[in-house]
Amino acid sequence: MRLPPADLVEPDWFDVFADVGGVQGIVNQRCRTVASREWRRVVPVLEFTAGVGTVDTSTLTDYCICIARIDQCEREISTNGILMLGERGWQKNGATTIVTQYRTQLARYIGELGLSPSARGRLTPPEDNGDDDDDVFD
């Protein structure tokens, strides 16, 4: 099903990653940057290859949030290690569990949005009706 053409509006990442100050504020600032960068990277391509429209905004937003949270978790693991010394000795850093959950969800979004070679093979590109003016690769 072809969706009507639409210019997708990037979410206000402050709604998701609030400006709370302190260390968490710095973490949230990076999350906003990572999510925005990913949105701007994939949306133009998806508008062309998958014909995404405004109805897909929440899926694309969640995809970008996953990317930002994975980045956050990986930075936590890089900073504090996979194992952390806790009250009962060495324990797995909780970020390792969280990043696994986000990566599982990310794999679903990649499949739904056609962001891997195999997923793209299952997509039917939108018809261009002979109009090359909207081609992002021109």
Side-chain angles (χ1 to χ4, degrees):
M1 174 174 97
R2 181 158 168 87
L3 295 173
D7 289 327
L8 295 178
V9 177
E10 184 174 353
D12 180 355
W13 297 112
F14 280 93
D15 289 343
V16 179
F17 307 109
D19 189 7
V20 295
V23 173
Q24 188 59 48
I26 295 168
V27 169
N28 285 356
Q29 179 181 10
R30 179 172 173 92
C31 285
R32 287 191 299 271
T33 300
V34 170
S36 180
R37 184 175 52 227
E38 188 66 10
W39 178 277
R40 293 173 187 184
R41 185 182 77 86
V42 300
V43 167
V45 174
L46 290 174
E47 286 174 329
F48 175 75
T49 61
V52 295
T54 54
V55 70
D56 303 307
T57 300
S58 63
T59 301
L60 287 164
T61 300
D62 286 348
Y63 163 80
C64 293
I65 291 169
C66 276
I67 294 290
R69 292 298 189 200
I70 288 168
D71 177 77
Q72 179 184 356
C73 288
E74 292 296 347
R75 290 175 61 79
E76 159 64 23
I77 293 166
S78 293
T79 301
N80 295 309
I82 292 175
L83 297 175
M84 299 175 70
L85 190 55
E87 292 178 11
R88 292 176 265 152
W90 289 98
Q91 301 171 349
K92 182 170 64 168
N93 184 332
T96 60
T97 302
I98 295 167
V99 77
T100 299
Q101 294 167 340
Y102 274 112
R103 286 189 188 283
T104 298
Q105 188 60 43
L106 179 65
R108 289 186 188 119
Y109 290 131
I110 286 171
E112 288 180 28
L113 295 169
L115 292 171
S116 71
S118 63
R120 278 191 300 277
R122 293 188 298 269
L123 288 179
T124 303
E127 298 170 13
D128 67 3
N129 297 326
D131 180 15
D132 273 352
D133 292 340
D134 294 340
D135 190 346
V136 294
F137 299 110
D138 277 349

